[in-house]
DNA sequence: AAGGCTATGTAACTAATGTTACTGTGATCA
DNA sequence: TGATCACAGTAACATTAGTTACATAGCCTT
């Protein structure tokens, strides 16, 4: 594990901290579609993402969903951070977007490291900053954009996160992420196809130019 | 200033830290409507709110606005925190909602205190958590609620923040905060009046029951 | 190859929100 | 006191998004 750690977090953390992480953390692999965090659950360890991508969703009381953002290599989950520290329940849902490798750090160590390592503090603060900014970008996109623009942005994010120019999702799945209906998504995707920006297939969307 | 500090933050910080704050911080009073933070500006000090309320807005490139949340007594601005620490530009706009009293802490001290005082670390983390949750509540309300429900929630927030059951705003001002048009707000407010929940007057709205 | 299942396409309609344009009304001030 | 101005009321219409309903197409299983 230490090698994975050094490759992905070596530029952030000093050796001493890397060693400590190596001692107490556990390695975890998850497959696409696995639910990592349920809303309302308590969280006992914090993930550092080594590879893959994690989708973070908000769910309302009716079970309606909305995609908040993706976590990628080098990221951690700010919600988990604050849940751990403040002993709050999780307010979000996390699902593996692709097969992913994670390093899980037990809650107890975090407080200790925050006092001890400047690099850890910076990492934690930077993570919070990034998540807050992502949340605000999500707000921007819901508040200021129309559904067709949101869909475009969604497709762009997907290709970036999955690192390929094909989005392997059904229209229904996209509709859940954007909190709208399947018919609306089909309609808008068809429009994008007519404009020559994408090519529609069953269960997948090929991105031509966005 | 030390007395104000003790009254409002005494339960959070140990005496030594309160003394330090007292030494380096400056006291600031702002009047309703004052702009505290412009989007795109750099920030050199962090506010602790003693009294009053600060309105935090997001602005898009066209100058369209959206209310994110209010800061009140005991709060600090998480955006400012992360701007200070990460030396990012401000991504938000802050306006005094009411006449307010603030204690301004120079950026330099924050990093130092984070290493030195557990209570300060907890305060900073808790602030981040609260802001992230507020951002997510804003997302909930834009994504899952219709305009009439958002308006109701807005009126409730206003009465809470201003601590009175009259909202002293024009329909246009409310429309800006919710990022919609004046006509839409007038329409919905009229509906609420017909339902007996509010009483409309020029420049003010009396809340009867929400 | 037939049947069944899931995904997609599309029309027709409803609902919500946004826009334009005009009217009325209360406050202020020369 | 009457001219002006900002605010609010409202009708009529446009646009966007959500809903219902049904047709068709691709894929898998037997």
């Amino acid at each position: 594990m230490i090698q994975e750690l050094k490759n992905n977090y070596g530029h952030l953390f000093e050796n001493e901290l890397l060693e400590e992480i190596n001692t107490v953390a556990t390695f975890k692999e998850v497959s696409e579609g696995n639910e990592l965090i349920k809303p309302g659950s308590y969280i006992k360890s914090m993930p550092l993402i080594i590879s893959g991508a994690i989708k973070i969703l908000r769910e309302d009381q009716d079970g309606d969903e909305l995609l908040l953002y993706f976590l990628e290599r080098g990221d951690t989950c700010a919600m988990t951070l604050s849940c751990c520290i403040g002993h709050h329940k999780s307010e979000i849902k996390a699902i593996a977007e692709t097969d992913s490798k994670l390093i899980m750090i037990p809650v107890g160590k975090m407080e200790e490291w925050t006092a001890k390592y400047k690099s850890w503090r910076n990492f934690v603060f930077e993570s919070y900053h990034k998540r807050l900014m992502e949340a605000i970008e999500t707000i921007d996109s819901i508040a200021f954009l129309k559904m067709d623009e949101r869909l475009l942005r969604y497709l762009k994010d997907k290709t970036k996160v999955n690192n390929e120019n094909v989005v392997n999702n059904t229209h229904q799945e996209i509709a859940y992420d954007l909190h709208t209906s399947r018919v609306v998504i089909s309609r808008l995707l068809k429009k994008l196809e007519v404009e020559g920006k994408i090519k529609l297939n069953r269960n997948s969307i090929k991105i031509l130019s966005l």
Side-chain angles (χ1 to χ4, degrees), chain A:
Chain A
M1 189 168 71
I2 188 76
Q3 201 49 53
E4 298 265 27
L5 257 174
K6 282 192 177 160
N7 291 343
N8 292 284
Y9 292 87
H11 59 295
L12 285 175
F13 303 141
E14 53 261 66
N15 276 325
E16 200 188 332
L17 175 53
L18 289 170
E19 293 292 348
E20 275 214 58
I21 295 176
N22 192 45
T23 311
V24 300
T26 58
F27 187 72
K28 185 170 179 180
E29 288 191 75
V30 291
S31 322
E32 186 181 326
N34 269 201
E35 193 175 67
L36 294 167
I37 301 176
K38 272 189 218 301
S41 60
Y42 286 94
I43 296 165
K44 292 179 211 68
S45 57
M46 198 198 109
L48 296 183
I49 293 160
I50 298 294
S51 69
I54 309 293
K55 181 159 96 168
I56 306 295
L57 301 158
R58 176 70 170 160
E59 211 175 42
D60 79 351
Q61 53 284 42
D62 307 337
D64 293 335
E65 290 185 354
L66 181 77
L67 172 65
L68 291 179
Y69 45 74
F70 294 103
L71 301 179
E72 294 175 86
R73 172 174 169 275
D75 286 337
T76 188
C77 178
M79 287 308 299
T80 305
L81 280 174
S82 63
C83 290
C84 290
I85 297 163
H87 310 291
H88 307 281
K89 280 189 206 165
S90 165
E91 309 267 355
I92 51 92
K93 182 165 155 182
I95 292 178
E97 168 75 12
T98 64
D99 295 351
S100 305
K101 292 179 186 172
L102 312 172
I103 289 180
M104 305 300 288
I105 299 177
V107 179
K109 286 290 160 184
M110 295 176 36
E111 170 71 21
E112 191 188 318
W113 292 346
T114 310
K116 197 165 163 192
Y117 298 107
K118 186 174 172 192
S119 66
W120 179 258
R121 282 200 299 276
N122 286 343
F123 175 68
V124 169
F125 285 131
E126 189 60 29
S127 299
Y128 263 119
H129 180 71
K130 278 171 74 175
R131 280 334 122 204
L132 197 51
M133 290 323 303
E134 303 241 35
I136 286 179
E137 270 173 45
T138 303
I139 290 174
D140 281 354
S141 124
I142 320 174
F144 300 131
L145 301 184
K146 289 186 194 149
M147 193 53 82
D148 55 349
E149 295 172 298
R150 286 179 59 199
L151 178 57
L152 263 176
R153 186 175 284 206
Y154 176 87
L155 293 173
K156 278 183 202 166
D157 281 358
K158 276 276 192 177
T159 53
K160 177 172 164 279
V161 161
N162 293 320
N163 201 27
E164 53 175 359
N165 66 344
V166 176
V167 174
N168 291 298
N169 285 112
T170 66
H171 300 182
Q172 182 62 70
E173 287 166 342
I174 299 175
Y176 284 140
D177 281 354
L178 296 179
H179 189 248
T180 179
S181 79
R182 198 269 310 164
V183 179
V184 170
I185 295 298
S186 293
R187 187 152 68 203
L188 295 174
L189 283 174
K190 182 51 75 180
K191 205 180 87 191
L192 288 176
E193 188 178 42
V194 170
E195 290 168 4
K197 292 182 181 164
I198 59 176
K199 174 79 183 68
L200 295 175
N201 295 296
R202 189 184 171 85
N203 293 314
S204 79
I205 300 162
K206 176 148 190 188
I207 310 300
L208 303 176
S209 74
L210 288 182

